[in-house]
Amino acid sequence: MTASLQTTLDQAFHALHQARETFTPPLQAREIGRVSSVATGIAKVTGLPNVGYEELVKFPGGLYGIAFELTETDIGVVLLGNYWHLQAGDEVERTGRVMDVPVGDALIGRVINPLGEALDEKGALSVTQRLPIERPAAPIMQRAPVTVPLQTGIKVIDALVPIGRGQRELILGDRQTGKTTIAVDTILNQHDQNVLCVYCAIGQRASAVAKVIASLRKHGAMAYTTVIVTEGNDPPGLSYIAPYAATSIAEYFMQQGRDVLIVYDDLTNHARAYRELSLLLRRPPGREAFPGDIFYIHSRLLERATHLRPEHGGGSLTALPVIETEAQNMAAYIPTNLISITDGQIYLSPKLFELGVLPAVDVGRSVSRVGSKAQREDYRKVAGSLKLAYAQFEELENFARFGTRLDDDTRKVLTHGQRIRACLQQGEHQPVPVDAQISLLQALSDGKFDEVPLEKMPAAEQALYASAGFEPAT
């Protein structure tokens, strides 16, 4: 019995010895630093000498940040989430990767934040692929000319300031002049155009975002739209990365050969978030207190919008950035930056808005640098002289206000211009089909409405649609 027990013990110890000899502990190198200070939306970190620019670092509590400022002694990190639990002395770990976002068809119809977390009540996202939020723009040789129109359903834009698929068209104007309405109406008009849409709300009020999402759902547009949201009370780091994350999501679909429309609402808040982060990181301010590289953050974003050649999939990414002006000052720093980056602008006038001319597009200050090359030939035939006639009317209207005696030809120009203005007015969320627009513009160019009293113009327009077999706009 004793010998048997001894043998069993020997065997057990021998097995343990063999297991010990063959065991190799898994070693994993981790670089750990420490938080030295925390401020509004940023943290200073020491002890990570090998960290890369824009590398993702991990804080306690599942909080992430982006290495944004690299110095000899520490790094400045932009925090991407609720950082109130963070304090000096907390551990910081390198991840070895840059900030990325989930992409795929599962995002269509969803509302998410820039980190890829669902904000609606449809459960977690089931995606397998992720893309970096910062990616190089398509090389010149992979790009094709912009020739296919992107119909907005808004008469004044489709006729006078046409937008092409792959173009970047800036929407700018003062507060409460209808900038978001134009962007949302353009999304609503893509329901039968085979265009996917991405709406990026940057630092907006929660109530304003909820209103936009409710409009998209009411009109069935969420079936082809992804919404990326940061609210006004979110950390500035989230507002900063939001448009880049949204663009990577849109680029995924573009590279699948799809046509995509992306709306940035608005880049004023994006610039302010970047200014806040930069000033907290002690970067020197320049003109109007913005850092010198503010142009670069928007140019590298909007350069990613393009139309690809057929051998590269043939997809397109059309960008509609929104910017807010102050006191109609288009010559301010951020508006002039974006005007020089984009391929045209749609300017909304508060004066027209106050007069009830909706949408309040100032035709004289609005331009499309792609122009009629991205417009259907039917439009070019009926709307070719319309912009000039409208501009002449506006000049004469200002002159006529002085009570000057007018000859018959001038009265005819004024009468015709008033009918042009009346025809180009349009209600919110009432897109007009292409054929209906062309019928209206043809009748307008031929002077068919010149004898119609101004107060009866809406009824005459609907009568024209009905006689041509189009459903009236509701």
Side-chain angles (χ1 to χ4, degrees):
M1 185 67 180
T2 304
S4 175
L5 179 61
Q6 184 64 40
T7 303
T8 302
L9 289 172
D10 289 344
Q11 290 174 346
F13 283 121
H14 181 69
L16 287 171
H17 177 73
Q18 284 185 325
R20 187 188 68 185
E21 292 295 325
T22 57
F23 173 71
T24 303
L27 298 177
Q28 184 177 6
R30 295 171 61 207
E31 290 190 45
I32 302 294
R34 297 282 177 183
V35 175
S36 60
S37 65
V38 182
T40 306
I42 67 160
K44 292 285 188 177
V45 175
T46 58
L48 292 176
N50 297 319
V51 73
Y53 182 64
E54 291 193 346
E55 181 179 338
L56 208 60
V57 294
K58 187 175 181 181
F59 294 88
L63 174 66
Y64 285 92
I66 298 176
F68 211 60
E69 185 86 359
L70 307 181
T71 68
E72 293 179 359
T73 56
D74 58 18
I75 61 171
V77 178
V78 172
L79 302 173
L80 306 176
N82 192 345
Y83 54 87
W84 302 114
H85 64 281
L86 208 60
Q87 55 188 357
D90 285 345
E91 286 190 351
V92 187
E93 181 182 349
R94 281 188 66 189
T95 63
R97 61 187 179 92
V98 296
M99 178 64 199
D100 54 24
V101 67
V103 296
D105 290 345
L107 269 65
I108 299 175
R110 301 300 299 271
V111 181
I112 63 173
N113 68 9
L115 302 176
E117 300 166 346
L119 298 179
D120 49 19
E121 299 176 350
K122 298 182 180 179
L125 296 169
S126 56
V127 292
T128 57
Q129 189 174 351
R130 301 180 73 92
L131 288 178
I133 64 168
E134 294 268 17
R135 306 176 70 211
I140 294 294
M141 298 308 295
Q142 293 183 13
R143 302 183 181 218
V146 175
T147 54
V148 181
L150 181 97
Q151 300 297 150
T152 65
I154 302 170
K155 293 174 287 186
V156 64
I157 294 176
D158 289 342
L160 305 182
V161 197
I163 300 172
R165 297 187 183 184
Q167 189 175 343
R168 301 155 298 179
E169 186 79 4
L170 179 65
I171 302 172
L172 77 163
D174 284 9
R175 289 185 70 250
Q176 303 296 320
T177 50
K179 301 185 295 297
T180 299
T181 300
I182 283 183
V184 171
D185 283 354
T186 304
I187 292 175
L188 298 183
N189 196 54
Q190 307 311 313
H191 61 91
D192 57 353
Q193 306 289 325
N194 195 27
V195 176
L196 293 176
C197 301
V198 178
Y199 178 80
C200 180
I202 308 168
Q204 298 285 339
R205 300 190 316 275
S207 59
V209 177
K211 181 182 177 183
V212 169
I213 294 172
S215 297
L216 295 176
R217 284 182 174 148
K218 178 182 177 182
H219 295 86
M222 285 303 290
Y224 52 86
T225 304
T226 302
V227 179
I228 294 91
V229 176
T230 60
E231 297 175 5
N233 59 348
D234 284 337
L238 282 181
S239 294
Y240 170 69
I241 68 168
Y244 301 104
T247 307
S248 285
I249 292 170
E251 276 183 330
Y252 168 82
F253 295 118
M254 176 183 70
Q255 290 168 351
Q256 307 295 315
R258 307 288 299 270
D259 292 311
V260 190
L261 167 69
I262 185 166
V263 174
Y264 305 107
D265 191 10
D266 63 37
L267 291 185
T268 307
N269 289 333
H270 184 241
R272 287 171 181 161
Y274 181 71
R275 173 172 65 183
E276 180 179 352
L277 294 170
S278 297
L279 296 181
L280 285 166
L281 291 168
R282 308 294 186 200
R283 291 184 179 176
R287 177 179 159 192
E288 296 181 31
F290 283 98
D293 59 345
I294 189 74
F295 180 92
Y296 178 54
I297 74 166
H298 287 151
S299 63
R300 74 174 188 257
L301 171 71
L302 293 168
E303 277 299 318
R304 293 162 71 178
T306 186
H307 179 208
L308 296 176
R309 290 183 175 274
E311 56 266 30
H312 295 283
S316 70
L317 176 55
T318 309
L320 293 182
V322 178
I323 197 80
E324 182 181 296
T325 57
E326 295 179 352
Q328 306 175 53
N329 184 15
M330 292 175 66
Y333 190 29
I334 303 302
T336 49
N337 278 354
L338 284 158
I339 287 171
S340 63
I341 294 167
T342 50
D343 306 312
Q345 72 271 354
I346 297 169
Y347 178 71
L348 301 179
S349 166
K351 293 180 181 178
L352 292 176
F353 190 86
E354 290 163 6
L355 292 171
V357 179
L358 301 177
V361 176
D362 187 329
V363 175
R365 294 187 181 183
S366 301
V367 65
S368 172
R369 296 189 185 99
V370 174
S372 58
K373 292 179 182 177
Q375 196 175 32
R376 282 177 48 163
E377 188 177 349
D378 299 341
Y379 273 107
R380 291 200 291 271
K381 289 178 180 177
V382 298
S385 60
L386 206 61
K387 189 168 185 177
L388 179 60
Y390 192 55
Q392 289 174 337
F393 154 70
E394 288 184 323
E395 289 294 326
L396 279 175
E397 187 183 40
N398 290 331
F399 182 69
R401 283 176 185 155
F402 295 110
T404 313
R405 291 182 181 179
L406 305 173
D407 57 47
D408 290 341
D409 290 340
T410 304
R411 285 198 190 92
K412 287 180 181 179
V413 172
L414 286 171
T415 300
H416 185 57
Q418 288 167 347
R419 271 60 183 179
I420 294 174
R421 176 184 286 167
C423 281
L424 294 180
Q425 291 189 49
Q426 193 168 339
E428 184 179 7
H429 305 334
Q430 295 179 4
V432 179
V434 172
D435 294 339
Q437 288 191 38
I438 291 172
S439 299
L440 178 71
L441 295 172
Q442 182 67 62
L444 194 59
S445 297
D446 294 343
K448 303 294 185 185
F449 292 116
D450 288 357
E451 302 300 324
V452 179
L454 275 176
E455 64 273 10
K456 294 186 178 180
M457 280 297 298
E461 181 181 343
Q462 297 302 326
L464 173 68
Y465 293 157
S467 65
F470 304 115
E471 292 185 8
T474 56

